[in-house]
Amino acid sequence: MSEIIILAIESSCDDTSAAVCVNGKMLSNVMANQKIHEQYGGVVPELASREHVKNIIPVVFEAMKRSGIDKKELSAVAFTRGPGLMGSLLAGGMFAKSFAQALDIPLIDVHHMQAHVLAHFIDDPKPSFPFLCLTVSGGHTQIVLVKGYLNMEVIGQTLDDAAGEAFDKTAKLLNLPYPGGPLIDKFAREGNPNAFKFSEPQIDHLNFSFSGLKTNILYFLQKEIKSNPDFIQAHLNDICASVQNSIVSILMKKLKRATEETGIKQVAISGGVSANSELRKQLLIYGEKHGWETYIPEFQYCTDNAGMIAITAYFKYLANDFCPIEIPIQARMEM
Ligand code: KG4
Ligand code: ZN
């Protein structure tokens, strides 16, 4: 069989990314982060779309250049169809559609959350089926039962905010720029995780909730600032460590329960929050103690990236799963 060469584009939120892979091997994975949102404490959808339109051509050209592949050699073009921000998805989707049309090659639509899970198949070691994947990002928090490359079932999910949102909204309360997750992670390294206690949500089964924690942190800070206006500056490391500890405990608790209920001991994490050092540490420690085989993606494949879109598209190509050019972009999309 001849080589399968895929150009993939990811633009679901605030990162513009393009990747090229040959038979599932990544040749390039280029990213343009949008700094513009830092000052607003969150992604501003209209600004994100405009940045994607600015970045998409240079990012794709750079990914092609680094891969050493000529556009005439491409077998297919893949793109994130959803879920995500409508304007952002449209910018990447329309580019992908036009490129595929111009080259007269097939188009492959990719589900963003499925791609976060399949990021585990870019490099070794790779999990085998079935495995559990905790997919934690700025928009999602899910426990996925992965039965095959394209056969996944969400067995638990958040009923309100995502774990990444809990990090980012806490960071905003602490006057830190967006995205706050990596900064909380950084300050937490110097802090005491047991300095402050926050309420733990009592949610049924394998589902999550983070909105109560957010309110709890808000009221806690308001109360402390009343008696000491410099409370945040004076205790930043301890606050970050305690908040991070709460979020990671909630995630680990449900993950443990999922392994008990399913009997599956291959456990993976993915999505932006899987870059969190405390989550990675706790997964490894607990996993080793309880005989889990744990899988953590390389940093570049944790947060949004086109590499994960490319690998998913590769499996879809092998399954002859292409899409028509008229396929609509979808901001909301079931897995
Ligand atoms: O997967 P992702 O890049 O985008 C979405 O699909 O949402 O995830 C972004 C989220 C943000 O909420 C960001 O704060 C969080 O991942 N994040 C982290 C860390 N790195 C990124 N959260 C905690 N610790 C980190 N080190
Ligand atoms: Zn994502």
Side-chain angles (χ1 to χ4, degrees):
M1 192 165 71
S2 61
E3 285 182 323
I4 299 168
I5 308 179
I6 295 172
L7 164 69
I9 289 158
E10 153 65 31
S11 71
S12 64
C13 190
D14 60 337
D15 297 309
T16 318
S17 181
V20 177
C21 79
V22 176
N23 293 338
K25 185 179 177 311
M26 221 47 68
L27 298 184
S28 63
N29 182 36
V30 176
M31 221 100 59
N33 304 112
Q34 302 181 359
K35 296 269 171 246
I36 196 160
H37 309 286
E38 275 179 11
Q39 54 189 307
Y40 298 103
V43 177
V44 183
E46 176 63 24
L47 295 179
S49 332
R50 291 173 189 223
E51 289 293 301
H52 283 305
V53 171
K54 249 194 266 171
N55 293 339
I56 189 87
I57 291 172
V59 166
V60 168
F61 282 25
E62 185 60 26
M64 291 299 294
K65 193 171 129 197
R66 284 192 205 172
S67 72
I69 295 286
D70 185 88
K71 61 181 183 296
K72 293 195 187 77
E73 297 176 84
L74 290 173
S75 319
V77 179
F79 69 103
T80 306
R81 182 181 173 208
L85 299 172
M86 196 46 152
S88 291
L89 290 165
L90 280 169
M94 291 315 291
F95 183 90
K97 287 181 174 195
S98 311
F99 213 59
Q101 180 87 340
L103 294 169
D104 196 21
I105 54 176
L107 187 65
I108 302 175
D109 64 311
V110 171
H111 190 293
H112 183 83
M113 298 312 292
Q114 207 170 44
H116 269 303
V117 173
L118 294 180
H120 285 283
F121 293 91
I122 296 175
D123 289 322
D124 287 329
K126 298 171 178 130
S128 53
F129 305 113
F131 69 94
L132 294 173
C133 189
L134 172 72
T135 311
V136 265
S137 70
H140 291 78
T141 301
Q142 301 177 325
I143 297 179
V144 184
L145 170 55
V146 190
K147 301 172 204 168
Y149 293 119
L150 305 171
N151 183 2
M152 303 181 191
E153 184 189 343
V154 178
I155 57 172
Q157 59 192 321
T158 184
L159 304 178
D160 40 58
D161 291 354
E165 249 178 306
F167 273 106
D168 296 337
K169 286 179 176 171
T170 302
K172 198 174 175 184
L173 295 174
L174 299 174
N175 307 314
L176 299 173
Y178 176 85
L183 289 170
I184 292 188
D185 192 346
K186 183 177 140 210
F187 292 119
R189 278 171 215 176
E190 309 296 324
N192 172 6
N194 298 309
F196 308 110
K197 283 266 168 268
F198 301 107
S199 61
E200 204 181 291
Q202 301 302 320
I203 303 294
D204 279 355
H205 200 51
L206 298 174
N207 291 327
F208 302 89
S209 165
F210 290 99
S211 71
L213 177 67
K214 183 185 67 191
T215 315
N216 192 208
I217 295 167
L218 171 69
Y219 289 162
F220 164 77
L221 290 174
Q222 283 174 343
K223 188 172 142 258
E224 296 295 339
I225 290 168
K226 229 181 213 172
S227 50
N228 173 11
D230 295 327
F231 179 77
I232 291 179
Q233 285 118 296
H235 300 278
L236 186 61
N237 295 343
D238 284 348
I239 303 170
C240 288
S242 301
V243 169
Q244 178 173 276
N245 188 39
S246 298
I247 298 172
V248 171
S249 303
I250 295 169
L251 294 172
M252 284 302 298
K253 199 169 160 185
K254 294 296 172 121
L255 199 49
K256 289 170 198 170
R257 191 161 168 184
T259 63
E260 286 157 14
E261 286 191 10
T262 59
I264 295 171
K265 290 198 163 194
Q266 282 201 98
V267 183
I269 54 173
S270 67
V273 181
S274 68
N276 183 263
S277 57
E278 184 62 25
L279 178 61
R280 293 163 92 98
K281 190 173 105 193
Q282 287 203 24
L283 182 77
L284 288 177
I285 293 174
Y286 188 90
E288 196 166 329
K289 223 170 161 181
H290 292 83
W292 291 3
E293 268 176 46
T294 50
Y295 298 89
I296 301 177
E298 209 188 287
F299 274 111
Q300 64 165 325
Y301 301 125
C302 284
T303 46
D304 290 348
N305 67 89
M308 67 185 197
I309 306 302
I311 194 78
T312 307
Y314 171 64
F315 295 124
K316 289 190 87 167
Y317 192 105
L318 292 177
N320 262 317
D321 191 349
F322 304 106
C323 72
I325 194 117
E326 308 84 4
I327 197 163
I329 303 296
Q330 273 191 288
R332 287 175 176 276
M333 210 174 158
E334 292 301 312
M335 202 142 107

